[in-house]
């Protein structure tokens, strides 16, 4: 059966091809009665608009791209991402828009930006100095940065990472802890935390500010920095190294939610009573902690705040 075309609908409806196009793409240009008539004929004839052709006509895709810095399987393992997508999705639903995840394409963020059929981007964890930012500007569509250092002239949505980290460390110190291990996200800086950027830098600044108020610093003895692969297994291995050093901490401060459950398991395996012998403070409130009978003290960002 031949595919129904706009001209076929126009002939049967007794209108021009332009009117049919308006009915689907710019209905405000026609009377309500005319739009209903054309759409009724189109439905009767089994017509389905070609989305590619429609995009060419309107110059719009009806989709927003969420540009993520890692492959989809990896980024989805971070509990922060599904919650973020849920919040973005609520707004997209209200506005009648689709949401497209845009991961690196064959390892290239720049290639992904060029190939994404979207009307604009939300970018997750993007730094101003990257070539990705240059390509985004060249693409010429609106974009908003999320969880990134503010960039002049670019709209941004950020959590107060420094303030949250400061609160977390202050809570640990106020409870009297002075043997503390900070579980940081391994970023290739090999312990040179002053070279951290973005979220890592902001959270580390918060920790250091709280420590300084009590006359403490990262000295490798009382307060230690342990860089971990950003997975539960990575955090588990990091805490195992700390416990085997013979100088066990009384408090663990993970830099992100994904580094919480691994240390909890390791501590329990070592026979430590979490909350009694070892305090573990959760950052960002990992959803799986709600399955535990143990309630962990938590600092959590407001991902759904309107």
């Amino acid at each position: 059966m031949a595919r129904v075309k706009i001209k076929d609908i126009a002939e049967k409806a007794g209108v021009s091809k332009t009117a049919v196009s308006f009915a689907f793409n710019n209905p405000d240009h026609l009377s309500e009665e005319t739009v209903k008539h054309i759409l009724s004929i189109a439905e009767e004839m089994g017509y389905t608009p070609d989305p590619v052709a429609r995009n060419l006509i309107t110059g719009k895709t009806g989709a927003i791209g969420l540009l993520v810095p890692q492959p989809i399987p990896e980024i989805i393992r971070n509990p922060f991402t599904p919650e973020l997508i849920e919040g973005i999705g609520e707004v997209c639903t209200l506005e009648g828009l689709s949401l497209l995840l845009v991961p690196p394409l064959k390892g290239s963020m720049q290639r992904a930006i060029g190939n994404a059929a979207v009307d604009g981007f939300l970018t997750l964890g993007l730094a101003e100095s990257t070539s990705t930012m240059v390509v985004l500007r060249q693409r010429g569509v609106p974009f908003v940065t999320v969880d990134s250092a503010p960039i002049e002239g670019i709209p941004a949505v950020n959590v107060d990472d420094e303030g949250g980290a400061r609160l977390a460390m202050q809570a640990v110190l106020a409870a009297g802890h002075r043997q503390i291990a900070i579980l940081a996200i391994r970023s290739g800086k090999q312990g040179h935390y002053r070279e951290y950027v973005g979220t890592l830098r902001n959270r580390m600044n918060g920790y250091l500010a709280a420590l300084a108020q009590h006359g403490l610093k990262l000295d490798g003895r009382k307060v230690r920095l342990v860089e971990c692969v950003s997975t539960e297994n990575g955090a588990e291995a990091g805490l195992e190294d700390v416990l085997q050093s013979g100088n066990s901490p009384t408090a663990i401060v993970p830099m992100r939610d994904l580094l919480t459950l691994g240390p909890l398991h390791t501590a329990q395996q070592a026979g430590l009573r979490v909350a009694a012998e070892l305090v573990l403070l959760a950052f960002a409130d990992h959803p799986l902690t709600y399955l535990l009978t143990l309630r962990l003290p938590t600092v959590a960002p407001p991902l759904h705040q309107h």
Side-chain angles (χ1 to χ4, degrees):
M1 181 177 179
R3 181 182 176 88
V4 178
K5 299 180 180 179
I6 285 181
K7 69 173 184 177
D8 301 322
I9 300 171
E11 290 175 1
K12 186 164 185 177
V15 298
S16 67
K17 291 190 293 183
T18 299
V20 176
S21 179
F22 279 160
F24 283 98
N25 302 309
N26 301 102
D28 293 342
H29 286 53
L30 303 171
S31 69
E32 184 177 350
E33 182 179 349
T34 300
V35 171
K36 287 182 178 178
H37 173 61
I38 293 172
L39 295 182
S40 175
I41 295 296
E43 183 178 2
E44 179 185 324
M45 298 179 71
Y47 173 74
T48 303
D50 183 339
V52 175
R54 184 174 184 177
N55 293 346
L56 289 173
I57 294 170
T58 63
K60 298 289 184 181
T61 66
I64 300 297
L66 176 58
L67 189 65
V68 294
Q70 299 164 310
I72 290 177
E74 188 172 344
I75 200 75
I76 289 297
R77 282 197 290 267
N78 181 355
F80 171 87
T81 307
E83 281 200 79
L84 177 67
I85 291 173
E86 182 180 346
I88 296 171
E90 289 177 2
V91 178
C92 286
T93 299
L94 289 174
E95 298 296 329
L97 297 170
S98 299
L99 179 62
L100 177 68
L101 278 182
V102 185
L105 183 58
K106 296 182 178 180
S108 170
M109 295 289 286
Q110 295 78 24
R111 189 180 292 117
I113 293 168
N115 282 270
V118 297
D119 297 327
F121 288 98
L122 297 173
T123 74
L124 186 59
L126 184 64
E128 181 177 11
S129 60
T130 64
S131 56
T132 302
M133 180 62 68
V134 175
V135 175
L136 270 173
R137 293 178 188 273
Q138 292 174 340
R139 171 74 189 264
V141 297
F143 65 94
V144 176
T145 63
V146 179
D147 197 25
S148 306
I151 301 170
E152 185 176 356
I154 303 298
V157 178
N158 289 310
V159 170
D160 183 7
D161 283 296
E162 183 171 338
R166 185 171 60 252
L167 286 173
M169 187 61 75
Q170 284 173 342
V172 168
L173 293 167
H177 296 281
R178 296 299 182 269
Q179 295 290 129
I180 302 167
I182 299 172
L183 296 186
I185 301 165
R186 185 174 294 170
S187 62
K189 301 302 181 182
Q190 299 176 329
H192 299 289
Y193 59 87
R194 298 191 188 281
E195 298 178 11
Y196 286 173
V197 297
T199 299
L200 302 190
R201 180 188 64 193
N202 293 334
R203 292 189 182 178
M204 185 56 68
N205 286 346
Y207 295 146
L208 294 175
L211 289 168
Q213 290 176 349
H214 289 75
L216 297 171
K217 59 182 180 180
L218 280 175
D219 58 9
R221 298 186 306 277
K222 288 187 176 182
V223 184
R224 281 173 287 173
L225 177 67
V226 182
E227 294 181 331
C228 307
V229 175
S230 189
T231 64
E232 292 176 21
N233 290 338
E236 188 173 343
L239 184 56
E240 284 177 356
D241 290 341
V242 172
L243 296 177
Q244 291 172 5
S245 69
N247 189 18
S248 297
T250 61
I252 303 294
V253 182
M255 190 173 277
R256 66 179 289 190
D257 49 5
L258 205 58
L259 301 181
T260 300
L261 294 184
L264 177 61
H265 177 259
T266 298
Q268 291 174 334
Q269 289 290 101
L272 294 174
R273 292 175 298 158
V274 177
E277 296 177 286
L278 177 68
V279 167
L280 176 62
L281 190 141
F283 203 114
D285 216 3
H286 193 303
L288 292 181
T289 60
Y290 289 107
L291 300 179
L292 306 172
T293 55
L294 174 67
R295 295 266 70 85
L296 301 177
T298 300
V299 174
L303 292 180
H304 286 256
Q305 182 172 311
H306 296 286

